[in-house]
Amino acid sequence: MKSLLVSMIALSLTTPALALDWDAALSGEHRSAENAARDEFRHPRQTLEFFGLEDGMTVVEIAPGGGWYTEVLAPLLKDNGTYYAAHHSLNAPGGYARNSLGKYLQKLAADPDLYGQVQITQFGKPDLVALAPAESADLVVGFRNVHSWLRGGTLEATLDAAFAALKPGGTLGLVQHSQQGELSMEEMKKSGYVPQAYIVAAAEKAGFELADTSDINANAKDKGGHPSGVWSLPPALRGGDEGRDNFVAIGESNRVTLKFTKPQ
């Protein structure tokens, strides 16, 4: 009996985690052709693997917006894992935030088989300060939102909330539009570009340690300095026909991909 128990314990320690079904997540019919076309610039599989995503994890996405990454994370975690979408508050002061949350909820309701297990949390100042239950998450991710948190004056609160939600040893993964050199606060807010050093300093102030960086989402063609910041580039192309061919040739923005850990 004892030898059988020892064998079972050994097997449980050596059995690998189940493989994530990337084909279903990235190529399933739930994804629009428009969203899938952006994989070329957003590299969802490589990015999430860099952050350490594994089957069975509890993952929090901060500010999921229209749900681009929800289309990837929800199917990956549906059968074995937990996915928290920390969206805007229903009582947010701005109409944009409420409309964004409303459209997101409609998206989830349209496919309950796929999105029925997504856990919605509302995050926003001044009262909604928790992304997920304390120390419940293995991984917290945020995609191209640091400039928005700067605009809203919530960067510090957001990083603190991520720290509180993560288990000791857990990972914070951030992707952000970025360019070389220093930028003023107003330049960061206006352009959408935030230098890597600024992000690292803010995360370290919140208690995180920088574990790794990656060029997965870098774009050497993008040097910044555009009339409408990152929105001069695809997919926004805010300048209309003016300079359009040049911006299309550049592609989407240059982005830093940063992996932080919460100390044990």
Side-chain angles (χ1 to χ4, degrees):
M1 181 69 177
K2 182 177 180 181
S3 61
L4 177 60
L5 179 60
V6 171
S7 297
M8 292 176 65
I9 294 174
L11 180 62
S12 67
L13 293 175
T14 58
T15 300
L18 296 174
L20 295 169
D21 192 345
W22 288 103
D23 286 341
L26 296 176
S27 302
E29 294 182 356
H30 67 287
R31 295 195 79 201
S32 68
E34 181 183 14
N35 282 351
R38 300 190 71 186
D39 290 355
E40 174 186 358
F41 298 103
R42 293 190 170 186
H43 310 100
R45 178 170 183 172
Q46 298 94 319
T47 299
L48 292 171
E49 287 182 335
F50 173 72
F51 291 152
L53 178 67
E54 293 182 357
D55 185 70
M57 278 187 167
T58 294
V59 179
V60 180
E61 182 183 0
I62 312 172
W68 194 95
Y69 256 99
T70 299
E71 291 184 359
V72 179
L73 285 165
L76 289 175
L77 299 169
K78 180 170 74 75
D79 295 325
N80 189 27
T82 303
Y83 171 50
Y84 285 95
H87 216 295
H88 295 296
S89 166
L90 283 169
N91 297 315
Y96 170 84
R98 293 194 298 272
N99 289 337
S100 178
L101 174 60
K103 290 178 180 178
Y104 184 77
L105 294 175
Q106 290 175 0
K107 179 184 183 72
L108 301 192
D111 194 345
D113 289 338
L114 180 61
Y115 299 123
Q117 297 184 49
V118 176
Q119 305 293 310
I120 305 294
T121 56
Q122 297 178 61
F123 180 73
K125 61 179 186 181
D127 300 322
L128 302 174
V129 296
L131 301 173
E135 297 192 351
S136 65
D138 300 288
L139 173 63
V140 175
V141 293
F143 301 102
R144 306 168 314 282
N145 279 306
V146 175
H147 62 283
S148 297
W149 302 332
L150 287 174
R151 286 178 170 181
T154 60
L155 176 59
E156 182 175 347
T158 301
L159 292 173
D160 287 344
F163 194 89
L166 281 167
K167 301 172 183 177
T171 297
L172 169 66
L174 296 176
V175 178
Q176 175 58 34
H177 314 289
S178 190
Q179 66 179 71
Q180 296 294 328
E182 295 185 4
L183 294 173
S184 69
M185 178 62 68
E186 288 307 309
E187 288 172 329
M188 288 189 284
K189 292 178 180 179
K190 182 179 179 180
S191 71
Y193 291 98
V194 183
Q196 176 175 318
Y198 187 94
I199 303 169
V200 172
E204 290 179 342
K205 182 180 179 182
F208 289 102
E209 297 175 353
L210 180 64
D212 204 355
T213 65
S214 174
D215 291 331
I216 294 168
N217 297 296
N219 179 0
K221 295 179 181 179
D222 178 24
K223 307 299 184 182
H226 312 306
S228 297
V230 298
W231 300 280
S232 292
L233 301 171
L237 295 169
R238 188 171 290 178
D241 291 336
E242 185 174 353
R244 181 185 182 93
D245 290 345
N246 176 59
F247 294 132
V248 170
I250 291 172
E252 294 196 16
S253 66
N254 178 66
R255 294 154 188 171
V256 292
T257 304
L258 307 175
K259 181 178 180 180
F260 299 92
T261 56
K262 177 178 178 176
Q264 295 277 3

